[in-house]
Amino acid sequence: MKLLIINISKLLHVEDQRREYKRGQELGDFPITENAWLMIENGRIHSWGNMEFGVPALKIKTIDAEGGMVLPTWVDSHTHLVYAGTREDEFSKRLHGKSYEEIANEGGGILNSAKKLNAASEEELYEAAANRLDELIRMGTGAIEIKSGYGLTTEGEMKMLRVARKLADNFPIPIKTTFLGAHAFPAEYKDNHEGYVKKIINEMLPAVAKEGLADYVDVFCEKGYFSVGEMEEIIVAAKEYGLKSKLHLNQFNALGAIERAVALEALSVDHLEIIEAPQMEREAYLSPPLEPPLWDVNRNERYDEAEMLGNSNTVCTLLPGCSLFLEIPYAPARRLIENNAIVALATDYNPGSSPSGNMNLVVSLASIKMKMTTEEGISAATLNGAAAIELSHELGSIEKGKLANLIITKPLNSPSFLAYNFGHNHFKHVLINGEVYE
Ligand code: NIG
Ligand code: FE
């Protein structure tokens, strides 16, 4: 099966050599073939060239891009796509002045979603998640990660992961799953954190591993949730089952988790809205400045979490949709890039803190609010997203042999237009395994 795409105004390769990820300055720079054709064979990228030097004269199925650009599909490496019910009631409380934290303390938030999830059947969950996933693919997402974390019981967590695995069986895009039993402490363990951590390690992890339901493990390390020590215990225990970690860190507070996550070779650290930097530089990147300061002002001036990340192979996954929705600071993307970090972008799609799975909006927000160039945003949302779920050998750039999961845009002159004309649909076709997704 062959397919030819012709009249591509710009073919965005995203990388110029086979590499797992791009770090620092590399993100902003990738080759572009102007006025291109692209050939797909058996669902994979076969070859490409400039139209002026001749188009393969084959009688095969052809799509005329009519001056649209072609780029790899988005890789959304952080989502909570499987959930029951929605939480617009909490949103409305926030509009009336309540904070996300206050709502969570009243039994809302993650515990609210957990109650709904445990009451829902596997079939209901699958149906709702499948509808969401179908919509996301149409918006350009060609691979995704899905977390558990709204069960908080062994059965509930396994139910979520089974639904995610079933999505992987029935949908044509790669799907990775992450066990997030350590998302919040269930009410019955409110005063027995040690008991719940033990349950995660001794009961949930073995059960999840036995059925092969998870590719990774995650912990929400935050004040009022899991401590740095508890996070470490869970990461170490999960390693025994061959599960690497992808972690929720530094969303509201810098607790020192980054240093430990890097030391334990986390695959990715996600959120990073608040990271510690040498004192002098903190105010420069915290916008708007937080009152009162959340960092320990007595700490060593040289304690620089961006530098630690830049010196590591851990992917920094930034989630600007969450910052937009919760009105919290945006992660300091420029600082991370200056420090040579591997920056990825994802949606964090979930019913509480980021009820949108639109990667196009994420790429726009990365430019508008985090000052990433569109090229950096595209690299972060494709190749580096793929790296964050160990799929960059298959996806994330235009390379011979990679899966032909591609976006054909409407006629556009420059990549910047994608971020600039935010909130609009710029896509004409989404191709999955070389076929138009319908
Ligand atoms: O990534 N931060 C923790 N977990 C989710 C939000 C969960 C929720 O509010 O339901 C997040 O933002
Ligand atoms: Fe999340």
Side-chain angles (χ1 to χ4, degrees):
M1 275 286 287
K2 282 187 174 170
L3 174 75
L4 181 66
I5 308 172
I6 57 168
N7 294 322
I8 302 167
S9 61
K10 289 184 197 306
L11 177 64
L12 311 186
H13 301 217
V14 179
E15 61 175 333
D16 53 7
Q17 51 183 283
R18 173 157 271 216
R19 50 179 151 195
E20 235 177 290
Y21 48 71
K22 297 165 90 170
R23 53 165 80 240
Q25 283 187 341
E26 291 169 351
L27 273 98
D29 195 23
F30 49 75
I32 295 177
T33 300
E34 310 265 347
N35 191 18
W37 57 266
L38 175 84
M39 174 101 82
I40 295 164
E41 195 176 71
N42 297 329
R44 291 184 181 265
I45 296 164
H46 178 271
S47 50
W48 61 84
N50 186 307
M51 301 271 298
E52 279 160 37
F53 304 124
V55 183
L58 300 171
K59 271 205 166 328
I60 55 172
K61 197 172 160 201
T62 301
I63 293 180
D64 189 342
E66 296 174 324
M69 300 189 308
V70 168
L71 65 152
T73 47
W74 308 127
V75 178
D76 192 351
S77 63
H78 181 138
T79 84
H80 308 248
L81 186 79
V82 176
Y83 58 82
T86 49
R87 304 215 315 252
E88 63 269 35
D89 50 336
E90 293 182 4
F91 176 49
S92 158
K93 282 186 189 158
R94 280 185 36 230
L95 298 181
H96 289 96
K98 284 231 156 121
S99 72
Y100 180 74
E101 197 184 357
E102 283 166 340
I103 293 166
N105 290 340
E106 290 168 3
I110 296 167
L111 295 188
N112 179 3
S113 282
K115 206 179 287 165
K116 291 176 173 150
L117 187 123
N118 282 298
S121 72
E122 205 168 305
E123 291 67 34
E124 284 164 345
L125 286 172
Y126 178 81
E127 183 74 21
N131 284 334
R132 285 177 209 126
L133 184 57
D134 177 63
E135 192 191 355
L136 300 191
I137 298 173
R138 288 169 201 281
M139 289 196 287
T141 297
I144 199 166
E145 180 259 15
I146 302 174
K147 298 174 195 301
S148 65
Y150 290 128
L152 310 180
T153 57
T154 307
E155 312 76 68
E157 290 294 306
M158 291 181 73
K159 183 165 68 176
M160 289 184 79
L161 292 168
R162 275 192 212 107
V163 169
R165 284 289 195 230
K166 193 165 156 200
L167 292 168
D169 290 341
N170 296 345
F171 278 79
I173 67 166
I175 298 178
K176 293 279 184 109
T177 61
T178 303
F179 166 58
L180 176 56
H183 199 190
F185 288 96
E188 60 274 32
Y189 287 95
K190 191 166 165 271
D191 301 314
N192 179 15
H193 286 193
E194 201 191 326
Y196 187 57
V197 172
K198 281 216 166 80
K199 180 171 168 166
I200 290 174
I201 292 174
N202 299 331
E203 186 182 311
M204 293 185 175
L205 258 176
V208 165
K210 191 166 173 222
E211 272 193 43
L213 290 174
D215 300 304
Y216 306 111
V217 71
D218 193 345
V219 178
F220 182 24
C221 182
E222 185 54 64
K223 274 189 192 160
Y225 295 83
F226 293 79
S227 69
V228 178
E230 288 160 349
M231 174 191 84
E232 290 194 75
E233 266 186 74
I234 294 168
I235 296 176
V236 170
K239 271 193 182 179
E240 293 289 311
Y241 298 97
L243 303 181
K244 294 183 189 172
S245 51
K246 294 174 63 62
L247 305 161
H248 282 74
L249 301 185
N250 293 52
Q251 182 179 4
F252 302 108
N253 296 285
L255 305 176
I258 286 177
E259 191 178 14
R260 299 311 306 148
V262 165
L264 289 164
E265 298 175 319
L267 178 59
S268 74
V269 289
D270 305 19
H271 276 288
L272 310 179
E273 286 86 346
I274 306 297
I275 65 176
E276 270 203 75
Q279 191 111 27
M280 302 294 287
E281 297 163 41
R282 283 168 184 158
E283 281 181 19
Y285 77 76
L286 271 184
S287 157
L290 289 183
E291 275 297 336
L294 290 169
W295 51 82
D296 174 0
V297 284
N298 299 318
R299 221 158 169 173
N300 178 353
E301 296 258 309
R302 281 304 317 156
Y303 191 88
D304 186 341
E305 293 184 315
E307 196 177 289
M308 291 172 199
L309 290 166
N311 289 331
S312 78
N313 290 332
T314 297
V315 179
C316 304
T317 304
L318 313 185
L319 311 165
C322 176
S323 299
L324 175 75
F325 191 71
L326 292 188
E327 295 178 275
I328 60 174
Y330 287 81
R334 288 256 58 89
R335 227 192 114 65
L336 289 164
I337 290 172
E338 278 159 25
N339 277 278
N340 213 26
I342 307 164
V343 172
L345 288 167
T347 63
D348 196 15
Y349 193 6
N350 76 72
S353 71
S354 183
S356 164
N358 188 339
M359 282 295 283
N360 305 289
L361 180 62
V362 164
V363 171
S364 282
L365 285 174
S367 283
I368 299 165
K369 303 300 284 191
M370 308 198 299
K371 311 296 173 222
M372 288 173 74
T373 66
T374 313
E375 287 77 6
E376 288 170 338
I378 291 172
S379 298
T382 57
L383 186 70
N384 284 359
I389 48 174
E390 299 180 291
L391 282 177
S392 49
H393 58 293
E394 283 283 71
L395 287 160
S397 66
I398 309 288
E399 186 186 317
K400 189 174 162 55
K402 280 196 177 177
L403 290 174
N405 288 11
L406 304 168
I407 291 164
I408 305 179
T409 73
K410 294 173 185 168
L412 295 182
N413 289 326
S414 89
S416 301
F417 194 80
L418 286 176
Y420 155 82
N421 193 220
F422 74 95
H424 285 259
N425 172 17
H426 299 293
F427 301 164
K428 195 165 150 202
H429 296 298
V430 175
L431 268 58
I432 301 294
N433 302 319
E435 284 176 32
V436 175
Y437 183 77
E438 267 159 345

